[in-house]
Amino acid sequence: QGNLAANDAQRPTLINACVAAGGTVAACTAQFPRRFDFTGAPGTVALPVFSQLSPGVNANAGTFIPFLEQGRVASFAQTVITNGFRNNVVFQPNPNIFFTEILTNSSRNQYNALQVELRRRFSDGLSYQVNYTFAKTLTDTPDDGQNRESSVQDQNNPNLNFSRPDFDRTHVLNANFIYELPFGKGKPFLDQGGWVDKVFGGFQFGSIITLSSGPPIGIIDPRGTANLAFFSGRQSATSTLTGSQIKALTGTFNTPNGIYFIDPSVLFATAQQFVNNNPVPGTSVRVDLNQPLQAGYRITSVRATSPIGTTPFAEQVFFFNGAGQVGNLPRNFLNGLPYANWDASLIKNIRFGETTRLQLRMEAFNVLNNQVPQFSIDLNVDSNNFGAVTQTFNGQRIVQFGARFDF
């Protein structure tokens, strides 16, 4: 960084002198590119490792410098190796192998739970079943996909992956019941046959109710700061807050500009004016997500971190990981938004003699028409849509009718 800073400070002087001598701006700029091996000025140091790399690294400095400025040292090494620029510099334990995968049955899992169930067999017109689970699962293979493997981010520290898996749910309650309404022949009220029973009797009400905690999610910085980006998809970000303090910032935040899972007070949102769907230059401003936008303005970015190389904003609590770092936040330590669903049915049985009946059914799925926010909320600190909830999990309410004649 010191070498780059010193080089950046001297480049304008060198480029201006070149132009004054008759060169074009384009040619002089190309003659004095940004270089991380620049030495000889205050604040610079010799880089013995970089000097051993192929000249292709400096020739492609525009590709490699951003890796170093962003702390993505693993991505830097990966690009050097895959482009054949490493020369005699050894980045891997075995220089003949870029990376290799060993498929073993060595995963570690822990499951602890309290399970309670209450049942009533059908009697006096009522049956029900209610079960509740309070559980916690920990594993070093947190994926719930079916691709038969889960990668370890750091082979020297496999416990880094040990966390709640995607399928863990702290609380789950399932309930179902069937209730025959107490009207009609053989019932406590209107115990009559004939038209009274056919009109008021034979009703049955049923429900299925599901409640559960949200899925585990974490705040991530999936850049290649400590290992290849391929293995860093779940790498935690860095924060100045504790886990409990961050949990206090989560929930359902309904704003005039959408629903957010993270308190908008710790986010940096910008908006820009658009005319005929085209952005107007020079109109980008920071906005408060809790306030309506000016007419003609649209949200263009919602960030948890200031872009790399810029000063953190005053309310910022999340940060990028530094070079060689894996973040200080636990993995999957937050619960996403909870899930709730209610399906119900109303059935009317009309009997014609002992062996014949007509059954009319009305069934409703997602009775309350709840739109549960989608679980895959973007919590990548490098995202321009951080914390926003953009989709729904439940479909719309569905009501269906049916009839059946039994004989």
Side-chain angles (χ1 to χ4, degrees):
Q1 295 290 345
N3 292 14
L4 279 171
N7 180 228
D8 289 342
Q10 289 204 1
R11 281 186 71 225
T13 300
L14 297 174
I15 292 173
N16 291 336
C18 176
V19 172
T24 64
V25 173
C28 292
T29 301
Q31 182 179 346
F32 299 102
R34 298 186 73 202
R35 301 176 68 94
F36 47 73
D37 63 344
F38 178 78
T39 57
T44 63
V45 295
L47 303 174
V49 173
F50 284 85
S51 64
Q52 298 178 52
L53 297 175
S54 166
V57 174
N58 269 320
N60 295 275
T63 297
F64 289 98
I65 286 177
F67 291 141
L68 300 178
E69 290 182 314
Q70 297 168 15
R72 298 164 58 195
V73 291
S75 295
F76 176 90
Q78 175 183 356
T79 308
V80 167
I81 295 168
T82 55
N83 284 277
F85 293 155
R86 95 178 158 79
N87 279 349
N88 296 321
V89 178
V90 178
F91 292 97
Q92 317 100 287
N94 185 341
N96 297 309
I97 299 176
F98 175 42
F99 76 87
T100 185
E101 291 185 314
I102 301 176
L103 187 63
T104 65
N105 187 17
S106 57
S107 175
R108 181 161 63 103
N109 297 274
Q110 292 181 5
Y111 176 76
N112 295 283
L114 167 69
Q115 298 177 340
V116 180
E117 184 170 88
L118 180 63
R119 292 184 183 181
R120 173 190 170 106
R121 294 184 178 181
F122 192 79
S123 174
D124 297 327
L126 176 65
S127 71
Y128 57 77
Q129 179 181 9
V130 181
N131 58 66
Y132 167 74
T133 301
F134 172 58
K136 184 173 185 178
T137 303
L138 294 172
T139 179
D140 54 9
T141 55
D143 303 304
D144 57 4
Q146 300 298 316
N147 62 346
R148 73 186 175 88
E149 67 173 324
S150 182
S151 301
V152 176
Q153 180 175 343
D154 185 352
Q155 294 290 345
N156 295 319
N157 182 18
N159 286 332
L160 189 62
N161 280 49
F162 196 66
S163 61
R164 297 172 61 202
D166 297 340
F167 51 84
D168 183 50
R169 299 293 185 274
T170 304
H171 304 282
V172 177
L173 176 69
N174 295 293
N176 64 81
F177 69 86
I178 296 174
Y179 177 56
E180 290 186 343
L181 274 62
F183 306 106
K185 187 175 181 180
K187 299 297 182 182
F189 304 102
L190 301 178
D191 184 8
Q192 301 177 38
W195 70 269
V196 174
D197 182 58
K198 287 182 171 55
V199 173
F200 298 102
F203 280 101
Q204 186 181 81
F205 180 66
S207 279
I208 300 176
I209 299 171
T210 302
L211 305 172
S212 77
S213 303
I217 53 177
I219 297 171
I220 61 171
D221 179 5
R223 303 171 307 125
T225 57
N227 201 348
L228 303 182
F230 176 80
F231 298 113
S232 303
R234 292 176 176 271
Q235 178 174 270
S236 295
T238 296
S239 178
T240 54
L241 302 181
T242 65
S244 298
Q245 290 173 320
I246 294 175
K247 289 179 181 179
L249 295 174
T250 64
T252 304
F253 297 91
N254 290 286
T255 78
N257 302 292
I259 303 173
Y260 289 84
F261 178 69
I262 300 291
D263 189 337
S265 67
V266 297
L267 303 179
F268 192 101
T270 55
Q272 190 170 8
Q273 186 180 16
F274 281 73
V275 175
N276 296 326
N277 287 325
N278 296 312
V280 178
T283 60
S284 183
V285 294
R286 184 179 183 182
V287 295
D288 182 353
L289 289 171
N290 290 310
Q291 301 299 324
L293 296 179
Q294 299 180 50
Y297 275 74
R298 301 179 189 173
I299 296 291
T300 53
S301 174
V302 179
R303 295 190 59 87
T305 58
S306 291
I308 292 173
T310 62
T311 302
F313 56 92
E315 304 85 1
Q316 184 169 325
V317 297
F318 303 112
F319 299 86
F320 292 109
N321 298 332
Q325 297 179 352
V326 295
N328 65 354
L329 290 176
R331 297 191 176 198
N332 277 359
F333 72 104
L334 299 173
N335 280 334
L337 298 170
Y339 175 79
N341 188 62
W342 175 27
D343 300 330
S345 66
L346 181 62
I347 298 173
K348 165 68 172 175
N349 291 306
I350 305 174
R351 293 192 174 276
F352 302 95
E354 295 295 325
T355 61
T356 307
R357 72 171 182 176
L358 173 65
Q359 184 181 83
L360 305 177
R361 305 175 64 94
M362 182 183 72
E363 298 166 323
F365 303 93
N366 186 18
V367 174
L368 300 179
N369 203 30
N370 285 335
Q371 299 297 321
V372 179
Q374 179 69 308
F375 294 154
S376 56
I377 300 167
D378 188 352
L379 293 179
N380 179 349
V381 293
D382 199 22
S383 169
N384 285 320
N385 199 31
F386 184 87
V389 177
T390 58
Q391 296 179 334
T392 57
F393 183 76
N394 279 22
Q396 295 179 345
R397 180 195 297 118
I398 297 175
V399 179
Q400 64 184 26
F401 298 89
R404 187 174 74 182
F405 186 68
D406 294 333
F407 59 91

